[in-house]
Amino acid sequence: MGAFTYTDLIEVNLGKLDAAAGDWKTMAGGLEKLRSDVYSGLVQLSDGAQWAGVNAGVTKDFVRMTAKEVWDLYREAKSIASVLEDAHSELTHIQKRAKDLTAEARKGDPDRPDEPDPGLLVMEGPNGTVKVMEAICDVKGTSQRTKDLMQWYADTLTGLVTHAAEIDAAVTRALKRSHGGDPNNAGHATYTSLDEDQLPRATKLASLGDDANGAQRAELRRLWQSLSPQARAELWTGHKDDLLAAGLLTPTVKQAAPDRGSGPHGVEEPGAEERRTREKMNLIAELADWKGDNDASRHMAHYLGNSGEHMDLPVDKMMTDDAGFKSHIETDIRERQNEWREQALAEFKRNGGQPVSMPVETENRDYSFQKEQDKNWFYAVGSTRSNVTGVVTVVPDANGEPKVGLDYQANAWDRYNWDKDKGVTIEIPGASSMSIPDGQMARLHTTGIAQEFDMSGSSSVKHYDLGTSAPNGDPLPKPDAPGREGGRTDPGREQQEGR
């Protein structure tokens, strides 16, 4: 059989799997009744019989062996039923997610303000991958936002196909071990869910920590989603630092440019005006650095450096510098914390008071820095997309009462670009201001002497108690104090490229 494909995931009839799980559950119920009858009837009668001799010994041994075989058959049937039920639940969720995303991509967002998102074609790619393309060619060329959306849909759908294939493989392993390959011996491995197969693999991947490669990190995140709340708690409490180092809290929401940006890079020849603009922007970057707007200077220098490479955002510093952004992140948590708490407590109760962990993530929300409040981040980022990712864990306290905690991080991402209607003016102390007219910054990109780039980052991970008998209303933890100042004497800053 070839690789599990997108078509397989979309078209597979999971009703047959559900029916098989139901049949095995019914069989397990019948064998449980038979097991009870055998032990309470046949075995007791045999053991209590007042007879002796060779025939008695042989008969009693045969009765006990038969009773054990019935017990083993019951355990095997229950194990198979549990594995199939777990697989059906997981695959149903993944298939629905894949179908919903496919429909969403094909529809696009025709009502989006400023510029609608076009409908996209979703199709099967090679080796279990998914390809996403524009349904209709744009006369202006494919915008950066559309490119980002195509990549996100392709990566996310490919991840779902891979996840489904991994569950299929886990089920195959569990069924083989449950059956054992010997039709005359039912005494083999038993499963209560797929946790027994997936948790050891997740633990092995988590132990890699920061050494895990991209594929291993992606697999770990998929396993984390598949594990039961109780298995997650076991993994989280034993390997929290490793899981964080492996990027477990990486956001999964769409990360796309907010607009089409300047257009294609390097499609025109630069002229004298563009070169003069570039030199003026180098001076403005130096001036911003001198004034203490180090992040604005660093980002401008990176743009002028023309590499197009990704740049990290220091999210703790962003929250420390700008009270509005910090409040924006805290509001994201406050609006959801009671809902998260109640969901986690329900899982705790469902698991009989055993520790449970639950992944949480907020939606993407935009935040715009204000020039009057923080010129540094206004010029460095302008507006950013952001969300919060985390893990809610419930553990019993000394009295067995639930104690709920949230470990979380703030995430931010944006694309550094200059639209055709954007210019910049920098005040020079003791002199006139320096201005770049609208559209000139964008032309540096289209003429290939500067280049737009993606930037993203996450804050340090913070812990917040969500309460025990009642919700907690204490202030959220403060962000970590900024480390490097990013000034011109800082040898670690990334500002000097291309200058």
Side-chain angles (χ1 to χ4, degrees), residues 214-292:
Q216 291 166 332
R217 290 170 185 240
E219 183 184 356
L220 178 58
R221 288 193 292 270
R222 291 190 295 268
L223 285 166
W224 175 256
Q225 293 294 328
S226 284
L227 292 174
S228 69
Q230 195 167 340
R232 278 196 216 109
E234 181 180 339
L235 184 63
W236 181 252
T237 54
H239 298 273
K240 175 181 173 181
D241 291 341
D242 289 333
L243 289 168
L244 294 175
L248 185 72
L249 299 188
T250 300
T252 65
V253 295
K254 290 189 189 76
Q255 296 188 34
D259 47 51
R260 74 168 36 246
S262 306
H265 176 254
V267 293
E268 301 176 59
E269 287 295 324
E273 183 66 27
E274 284 74 43
R275 291 188 172 91
R276 281 194 296 270
T277 297
R278 188 180 189 282
E279 291 308 310
K280 286 174 69 175
M281 287 314 303
N282 268 313
L283 291 174
I284 287 176
E286 291 283 0
L287 178 60
D289 191 35
W290 179 77
K291 291 174 63 179

Side-chain angles (χ1 to χ4, degrees), residues 341-379:
R341 171 184 155 81
E342 292 305 315
Q343 289 174 349
L345 285 171
E347 290 290 355
F348 179 78
K349 183 177 180 181
R350 195 160 28 242
N351 281 273
Q354 296 297 312
V356 295
S357 290
M358 180 183 77
V360 294
E361 182 172 14
T362 65
E363 296 297 321
N364 175 5
R365 294 174 63 226
D366 291 356
Y367 178 80
S368 295
F369 293 94
Q370 301 301 311
K371 182 178 179 181
E372 298 76 16
Q373 302 299 323
D374 195 319
K375 287 184 179 180
N376 177 46
W377 289 111
F378 174 78
Y379 285 118

Side-chain angles (χ1 to χ4, degrees), residues 466-486:
L466 294 180
T468 51
S469 58
N472 183 18
D474 293 342
L476 289 160
K478 293 181 179 180
D480 282 359
R484 295 184 183 276
E485 293 301 321

Side-chain angles (χ1 to χ4, degrees), residues 288-418:
D289 191 35
W290 179 77
K291 291 174 63 179
D293 296 334
N294 309 120
D295 299 285
S297 174
R298 183 167 63 102
H299 291 189
M300 174 58 70
H302 193 66
Y303 177 66
L304 298 172
N306 202 22
S307 71
E309 293 179 357
H310 175 275
M311 178 171 277
D312 291 334
L313 284 177
V315 177
D316 281 301
K317 185 175 187 295
M318 293 165 68
M319 289 193 288
T320 300
D321 291 349
D322 192 285
F325 183 57
K326 176 174 176 287
S327 177
H328 171 81
I329 294 297
E330 290 183 347
T331 298
D332 226 9
I333 297 170
R334 291 299 189 195
E335 289 179 349
R336 299 292 301 277
Q337 69 178 67
N338 287 338
E339 175 189 349
W340 292 341
R341 171 184 155 81
E342 292 305 315
Q343 289 174 349
L345 285 171
E347 290 290 355
F348 179 78
K349 183 177 180 181
R350 195 160 28 242
N351 281 273
Q354 296 297 312
V356 295
S357 290
M358 180 183 77
V360 294
E361 182 172 14
T362 65
E363 296 297 321
N364 175 5
R365 294 174 63 226
D366 291 356
Y367 178 80
S368 295
F369 293 94
Q370 301 301 311
K371 182 178 179 181
E372 298 76 16
Q373 302 299 323
D374 195 319
K375 287 184 179 180
N376 177 46
W377 289 111
F378 174 78
Y379 285 118
V381 173
S383 295
T384 184
R385 273 92 333 253
S386 67
N387 85 333
V388 173
T389 51
V391 176
V392 177
T393 299
V394 189
V395 297
D397 63 15
N399 299 316
E401 294 299 315
K403 182 178 181 181
V404 191
L406 167 67
D407 294 283
Y408 70 93
Q409 70 181 28
N411 311 293
W413 58 92
D414 193 24
R415 184 166 179 84
Y416 190 93
N417 61 39
W418 293 83

